[in-house]
Structure formats: C-alpha cells, structure tokens
Amino acid sequence: MPKNTVGLPRRQYFLPTTLLAFVAVAGWFAAGASAAGPGTSALPAQQVPEIREQPMAQLLAWLIHPDSKLRNAVYKELKRRQDLSAVPGLIELLRVPAFARDADPRKLARALKDLTGQSFGQDSVAWSEWQSGQQSIPLPDEFLLWKATLFGLIDPGLQGFLETPYPPKIRPDEILWGGVRKDGIPALDDPKMISADEATYLRRVDLVFGVEINGDARAYPLRVLAWHEMLNAVVGGEPVSLAFCTLCRSGILFDTTVGGTTYTFGSSGFLYQSNKLMYDRQTESLWTTIPGKPVVGPLSTSDLELEKLPLVVTSWKEWAQKHPGTLVLSLETGYDRDYSPGAAYGDYFNSEEIWFPISSRDWRVEPKEEVFAITLGGIPKAYVVNALRRRPVLNDSIGERSIVVLTSRDGAVRAYERGRRTFSQARGDDVLKDGEGQTWQVKEAHLFNESSQETLARLPGHLAYWFGWFAFYPGTLLFDGSK
C-alpha cells in the first residue's frame, strides 16, 4: 500500500469515490460559503491574498484551495515562518488521501522536512508516531475547529463531533479518521436472536463473544460483529453495549447505565491510538473503548466511566456445550454483508501489519500478540495468551487482589476472584480443586463450591492485541510466562 495513504480494510474502512471527487473538485467551496477555516470567507480562485498576517489555521486551509498559485505561496510562507505549529496540520493533510492529493504529498513531505529536519517522506504513520513523542510541538490556535471544518467536507457528522466548545481529554492531533463516515460501520440495535439449533451457519471452530447475565446466555459471532463493531442490547434485563474494535481486536462488554443515564452507542468514524472512538447517541460525545471514558464533546468534562462486564471469546463448540440454551445472533441483521469466515478483516488478523499510528510501542511482546487484559484497583495487567495456554490455571495477584486466571483447551480465558485459596485443575476445564481439596465448579458468573455454597466472582477481562493495550496503559504489568 502507498505509504502516504491510510490503510483501509477490505469493504469496511473506505472513502467513497464520489466523496473523493467532491473534495478534489469542489475544494473548500460550496453554495457561496467557505470551509477554508474558522472565521474566513471564500476567495476567488485566481486571487492570491496577502498571507503574511494570516493565522496558521487559515494557511493550512488554503493548502487544499483549488488555486495552485495560492497553495505555492502558502508553502513559501510556511518555510519563511519556520513555525512548528504547522506540523500537526501538515501531517493531518498528508494522512488522508483525498486531501493529500490536493495539497501534493511531495510538497507536504518537503514542508515537514524543512520544519523538523526529519526525513519520513510521505509515510504519514511514521510522521504521526514521531509527532506523538514531540511534546514541544504546539498545536495552532483553533486546531480542533480547523480539523472539524476539514472533515466536514467529507461528512457533517464527523464535523459535529469535533466542533465542540468543550476541551478534549485527548490530544486533538491524535484523533485520526478511520476512513468512514459517522455510522459508516452500522451498529446492531437489539438484533434478532435465534436458538442454538437454528444457528446452522456456525462452524464448531467459529469464535463467538459469549455473554451471560442473570442466566441469559448469548453468543455473538466475531465474523458478524466485525462488520458492525457495536451492538446495543438488553441481556438478562440489563442494557449493555458490546464494542468490538477490530483494529486492536478487543471486544469489551459495557454496562451502559452510568451517572443515572442509559446510553446507546454507535461508531463515530474516528480513532485514537488505533482504537475506535464510539459515540453515545444521547450527547454525541466521543468515548474510548478500551478505557470506556468520554474524551471529546459534552461529556468530556465529566468523570464518567462505563463499567466493564465479563465477556469471553471462545469457540462456538465450547460455548454451545456449556450453554445449550444460548441464544445466537441471527444473520438477518438488516444489512447486506458477507458474513462468511474471514470476509471482514481476515487479511488484517492474519498479518503483522498495523494500519494506524500509535504513540508508543513495547517490544517485549510482538505488537499483534493477543493478551488477556484486566484492570483491578486502577492497576492494569496483561497476560500473553500463548503463555496462559501453558498455565491453564494461574494463581496470581494484582495489587491487593488475589485472582485466578483460567484458560480452557480452546484458548478461552476467564478470570475470577480467589480470596486466600490456591487452585489447581481437578477435571477438565470445568472443575477446580483448592488447597484444602474442595472442588469448585467453573461457571460464567462465578466459581461455585457445592459443599459450602460459596461463590467467587468473575472479573471483567478481555482480549486485545498487545499494541492496543499498551498504547493506553504503558505502565501495565505483564505476564509473559518467563517467570
């Protein structure tokens, strides 16, 4: 793939041809109004204005003006000013193929080299990751509003997310466009469910997200959720959302009632740290999916955080055996998609490639190695899944919490409280033995001691690619099986 373009997965993240044509031909102008930048007005295409006193946001806007004479004058002015606040905007334009084409990727790369002394050419990922580590590079005034106006050319919905008076909790330059419009990846809302016997489309080896709340068991196949990435439903009487970030391969189940409000979620089209930014339909605030917090928009000033609920990724065979009465997501989703295995993201999941920039990496583990991730008492920890396969019963502690991490033969990982007990495997994946010789049944909601009627609660962990987890929690503890 060309290094100046954002990697776009097959039939999912894409920029429609009609929008490419619109941006390339219409530029910033439509119906006599200017989108050239905050507080500016349209200029005749052949008029080169006096640009020395213009704010940086205006100069950046003119870099995709249809008049090449004006664009060239802007590049000369940027070189004269040597103002590093231009760097975030130049990288933004380089990152999106439609805008880069108008601004000329070669000229964008040359301007970046002139300003920074770095030589990343047209590789927007390298530029973005370098910029993340440069705390001394300022953002130009009204950068977020400039960025909102820029993406308004593609979709007013994208513009609406960023055109906000509320200060964001994350760096605006690290909010990346994923290549789709708002809701371009459509969420499933209370989708049709069928019985296990009716789910003849599933193979025994197909992976499913397994959920059980108040005895209500559900199976949501990954090959279907990969096309939708968000699911809103009521399970066991509880409103929940399942967010599947395909880029970092993390599926997280949230209790969506927080602060006295029940939220439903969709996909914004934006990313942060290669992690989808979902949005709530009630306030249209953007939320990170791994931490589950609002970061842009009306709720960004709040301390809200969604509670994570237990979720497992397991084979359809294992889930159906454990939960014969489970309901299963129907293929009748209301959308025309190819739900066959590997149709969405199959190539990405099977490659070492990362499509979008991340601010930090840790090479103790390969970037796309799967980890089981959990946070307890504010302490994050990641367990390399391949290491857990060699330790199917792992007694561990995180801070002051004693836990046991269980890995089944098909690789499904679950974590439970263990109190002062130490567990070992007694029989298969379903029965444990503690240090006193008592047996415990492994259930979805808890471990159960039939003789004493005691229970030990399930804990809400989830799988993710290592790079995705580390980007949010660079101080994470790590179990890789080496000790």
Side-chain angles (χ1 to χ4, degrees), residues 57-112:
Q58 177 64 83
L59 296 184
L60 294 171
W62 278 334
L63 285 178
I64 60 172
H65 191 282
D67 184 359
S68 61
K69 188 176 181 180
L70 175 57
R71 296 198 305 270
N72 289 335
V74 170
Y75 280 118
K76 289 180 181 179
E77 175 64 10
L78 292 177
K79 188 171 183 177
R80 186 194 70 81
R81 288 191 191 185
Q82 288 295 298
D83 184 348
L84 287 177
S85 72
V87 170
L90 293 172
I91 295 175
E92 194 77 54
L93 294 173
L94 184 63
R95 184 183 294 124
V96 181
F99 301 138
R101 183 175 66 181
D102 292 339
D104 190 334
R106 295 168 300 175
K107 291 182 179 179
L108 288 168
R110 191 180 307 125
L112 284 166

Side-chain angles (χ1 to χ4, degrees), residues 156-394:
L158 297 174
Q159 180 172 354
F161 290 132
L162 304 182
E163 203 167 53
T164 172
Y166 302 97
K169 284 185 176 177
I170 56 179
R171 286 175 50 167
D173 53 314
E174 292 185 349
I175 302 170
L176 306 184
W177 184 50
V180 294
R181 293 189 258 183
K182 175 185 176 183
D183 293 319
I185 302 174
L188 296 178
D189 296 298
D190 295 316
K192 179 180 179 180
M193 307 295 290
I194 57 178
S195 69
D197 290 340
E198 294 174 293
T200 55
Y201 72 90
L202 282 174
R203 305 172 303 170
R204 291 158 62 88
V205 297
D206 283 343
L207 295 178
V208 300
F209 291 114
V211 179
E212 184 188 82
I213 300 176
N214 298 328
D216 185 358
R218 307 284 184 95
Y220 300 105
L222 273 67
R223 68 193 234 200
V224 179
L225 263 293
W227 285 105
H228 299 281
E229 299 194 359
M230 288 298 313
L231 179 142
N232 300 292
V234 176
V235 182
E238 302 293 335
V240 299
S241 288
L242 198 168
F244 182 23
C245 175
T246 47
L247 296 173
C248 53
R249 202 173 167 81
S250 65
I252 305 177
L253 185 69
F254 295 109
D255 179 342
T256 54
T257 301
V258 59
T261 300
T262 297
Y263 297 95
T264 57
F265 291 90
S267 292
S268 69
F270 285 117
L271 306 168
Y272 174 68
Q273 303 292 356
S274 198
N275 179 257
K276 72 183 282 94
L277 286 173
M278 58 188 186
Y279 78 94
D280 71 83
R281 293 167 177 162
Q282 285 66 39
T283 73
E284 300 224 326
S285 297
L286 299 180
W287 301 60
T288 55
T289 54
I290 286 184
K293 298 179 180 181
V295 292
V296 178
L299 296 180
S300 66
T301 57
S302 75
D303 294 322
L304 294 178
E305 180 175 355
L306 296 173
E307 180 186 356
K308 297 180 179 69
L309 301 174
L311 177 77
V312 69
V313 177
T314 185
S315 69
W316 169 236
K317 173 186 175 182
E318 185 195 59
W319 184 260
Q321 285 177 345
K322 291 179 179 290
H323 306 278
T326 187
L327 295 177
V328 186
L329 182 61
S330 169
L331 291 183
E332 296 179 21
T333 62
Y335 297 93
D336 183 15
R337 299 289 189 273
D338 179 1
Y339 293 124
S340 60
Y345 298 95
D347 293 341
Y348 176 75
F349 293 151
N350 292 318
S351 78
E352 296 180 357
E353 188 178 16
I354 298 173
W355 283 337
F356 292 90
I358 48 178
S359 61
S360 58
R361 298 175 185 246
D362 184 310
W363 293 98
R364 288 179 294 171
V365 180
E366 289 298 314
K368 289 176 79 171
E369 184 88 20
E370 272 197 311
V371 297
F372 177 74
I374 189 170
T375 301
L376 292 177
I379 302 173
K381 187 162 187 177
Y383 299 81
V384 176
V385 171
N386 282 332
L388 289 177
R389 291 175 186 270
R390 300 189 293 270
R391 298 277 296 276
V393 179
L394 178 65

